[in-house]
Structure formats: structure tokens, C-alpha cells
Amino acid sequence: MVSEFIIAGFPGLQDRESKAILFAVFLTVYLLILLGNLLLICILAADRSLHTPMYLTVCSLAIIDITICTTLVPTMLAVLSSTTYTVSFSACFTQTYFFMALPSIESFILLLMAYDRYVAICHPLHYPARMTVRFTLQLIVVCWLGGFLCPTLVFSLAFTKQFCGPNRVPLCYCDYAGVLRLACGDVLSISHFSLFSVLSILLIPLFFIVLSYVKILLSVLRISSSAGTAKAVSTCSSHLLVLSVFYFTSAGVYISYRIPGTSVDMRVMGSVIQHVFPALMNPIIYCLRTKEIRDSLVKTLKNSKIFPGSK
């Protein structure tokens, strides 16, 4: 019986120089992700004017991004800095569970953000009563609980299988599909069910997100003033960019898996980019595209006297 797994990393990049370059790149990216998302959280926490439903969801998204990357990148760095990296059976499945739960939470939070914008633009008079801070916090808790509950059945199906043969995971971390292939016996039905579950968790929220924005678009087209239209578009632009980064990155990785001749190293890199790239881009998008966050950041920098002549 298997008691530990070997994390393969990048099979074609096992020389010391390549591993050192990858280590430096991913360590830099990880530090930038921590810096950007922690800065965003601090801005939202420090400025009381940003304690609104929309920015609560942004803050929750930043926490998810930090958690996803902290679950992934340290393992990657350990793999790149060692000749053979092994992880215990329980630790591998724990990481697998988090990689199933956290993207589910992110998908639900993105749906919540779309609903917030839908109510704000399509029902502006009802927005203060319907989207209170307390209600938004309750919805965020539901998103987190739902994200952790959704993969439990799929996870338990793999966890209860016997692993008696190969123990080499062909990625930089313990991925569900990579670990499931190492199980003894026929796992085809479990694999199909897990794929159906993952696609449902991603595509059902996407359907309602698209539906929300179709209604938002129809509502915007009915706005007579150009100023009102511009304001409505500006409140949604950041969220649309974040949505595009999350779903297009995931779609690109899944498509690359279906392209014949794609190297194992490219697939490993794609799986890493799928988790890392949105977390790197989200704070940049919100800090650059959202006026309230940008103004709060500039005010904070001026008050800390980083900008000369702030007075």
C-alpha cells in the first residue's frame, strides 16, 4: 500500500539551472501576489468608506487568492529545490481537497459579485435594503461553506480507493486527477463523475453570471443620460476583467489538455498558471480600474509621506 507520493514537478526541466530559474520566477510571483492582495485587503480594511457590500466581496476574493497560492507555491518551491520531493498520503489528499474547494469558493464569490452589480444597476432603489453589509457577509459565509461542501463526495470516492502501485504524481502538487490515476482498479466512472462535478461548479455560476450581465446590459441601454451609462459601465468593468481572467485562464488550460502533442511540461505549467495568474492580476485590476480603491491608495500613500509635497 502506498504511504507517500512523489511529486514529479517538471519532468523535462530537471537540470539544476532550469530549476533555479523556475524557483526564482515563482518565488517572485508569489511575493508579488502576497504584496498585491495584502495591500488590497489593508486598503479595504483601513478606509471606512469602502466598507460596502461590493468591496466585502473584493476582500473575500483577495483572501481566496492568497489561500490558493499559499496552498500551491510553497509545495512547488520545495519540489524545485529538492532532487526528490515526497509527501505523505494524508498531506497529499489534504492539498487535493483544498484545490477542489478553493476554486469552487472563488466561482461562488464571482457569482455573488455579479448579483451585487445586478441589484445595484437594475434595482438601485432597492439596493440599500437588499444588499446590506450583514446580508453580504452572510452570503460570503454561504459561499465559503458551499465551496468546502461541494467536493466532499468526489473527494471521498478517491480517498477510499486503494493505492497499491505507482506513487508518482505528474504535476507540481497533488492534483485530484493526477492522484486518482494512481489508484488500483477501475476509476473511469469516478473520473467522469468528478469531471461532471467540476464543470457543474464552474459552469452553473457562469450561467447565472452571464444572465446577470445580460440584464445589466439591457438596463444600461435604457439609461437616457450618457453620464449614467458611463457610471454603470465603470462599476462593472473591473468585475468583468476579473471574470475574464478567471474563466478564460481555466478554459485555456482545459483546451490545452485536449491538444495532441502538448508536452507534459506545458501541461504542468498550464495547471500552475491557472491558479497563479488570476491571483496576480486581480489586485492590479482593482487598484488600477476602481476609482475608489485607487483614490484610497493615493490618500494612504500621501498620509504616510511616501509622496513628497502631499500637503
Side-chain angles (χ1 to χ4, degrees), residues 176-255:
Y176 181 84
V179 173
L180 183 63
R181 288 192 209 100
L182 302 177
C184 303
D186 183 21
V187 294
L188 186 61
S189 58
I190 298 177
S191 179
H192 287 164
F193 179 68
S194 65
L195 179 62
F196 171 77
S197 300
V198 169
L199 291 178
S200 298
I201 291 171
L202 288 175
L203 296 181
I204 291 176
L206 179 61
F207 170 78
F208 287 105
I209 289 170
V210 172
L211 182 63
S212 297
Y213 274 97
V214 168
K215 292 187 175 182
I216 288 172
L217 178 61
L218 294 175
S219 180
V220 168
L221 293 176
R222 289 195 293 267
I223 298 176
S224 56
S225 67
S226 58
T229 302
K231 183 178 180 181
V233 171
S234 66
T235 60
C236 297
S237 59
S238 298
H239 184 220
L240 286 172
L241 283 172
V242 169
L243 278 170
S244 300
V245 168
F246 178 75
Y247 281 104
F248 281 125
T249 304
S250 299
V253 171
Y254 289 130
I255 291 171

Side-chain angles (χ1 to χ4, degrees), residues 145-174:
L145 291 176
F148 277 113
L149 287 174
C150 279
T152 51
L153 177 58
V154 173
F155 173 80
S156 62
L157 290 174
F159 187 72
T160 53
K161 295 290 291 185
Q162 289 189 337
F163 292 81
C164 50
N167 66 336
R168 191 175 182 86
V169 181
L171 284 172
C172 286
Y173 58 94
C174 290

Side-chain angles (χ1 to χ4, degrees), residues 108-152:
F108 295 152
I109 291 294
L110 291 173
L111 173 59
L112 176 56
M113 295 170 78
Y115 176 72
D116 175 82
R117 293 299 84 204
Y118 162 74
V119 177
I121 293 173
C122 298
H123 304 282
L125 297 179
H126 299 284
Y127 182 78
R130 288 171 64 174
M131 293 302 294
T132 62
V133 170
R134 181 177 180 179
F135 181 61
T136 303
L137 286 173
Q138 291 173 345
L139 291 178
I140 289 172
V141 171
V142 169
C143 290
W144 279 81
L145 291 176
F148 277 113
L149 287 174
C150 279
T152 51

Side-chain angles (χ1 to χ4, degrees), residues 281-300:
M281 294 304 299
N282 288 349
I284 297 174
I285 291 171
Y286 279 113
C287 287
L288 292 180
R289 297 284 304 176
T290 309
K291 184 179 182 300
E292 291 83 357
I293 295 177
R294 192 169 62 246
D295 291 345
S296 181
L297 174 60
V298 172
K299 183 174 70 174
T300 302

Side-chain angles (χ1 to χ4, degrees), residues 40-102:
L40 183 59
I41 292 170
C42 289
I43 291 171
L44 296 175
D47 193 337
R48 295 186 64 85
S49 66
L50 299 180
H51 294 182
T52 61
M54 183 177 77
Y55 294 117
L56 285 175
T57 58
V58 172
C59 186
S60 182
L61 188 65
I63 294 171
I64 296 169
D65 287 337
I66 291 174
T67 309
I68 289 176
C69 290
T70 302
T71 306
L72 167 65
V73 179
T75 301
M76 281 187 55
L77 297 179
V79 171
L80 292 169
S81 61
S82 60
T83 305
T84 303
Y85 183 76
T86 59
V87 61
S88 68
F89 185 90
S90 58
C92 187
F93 267 92
T94 300
Q95 189 179 50
T96 297
Y97 177 74
F98 273 94
F99 270 118
M100 298 170 69
L102 293 172

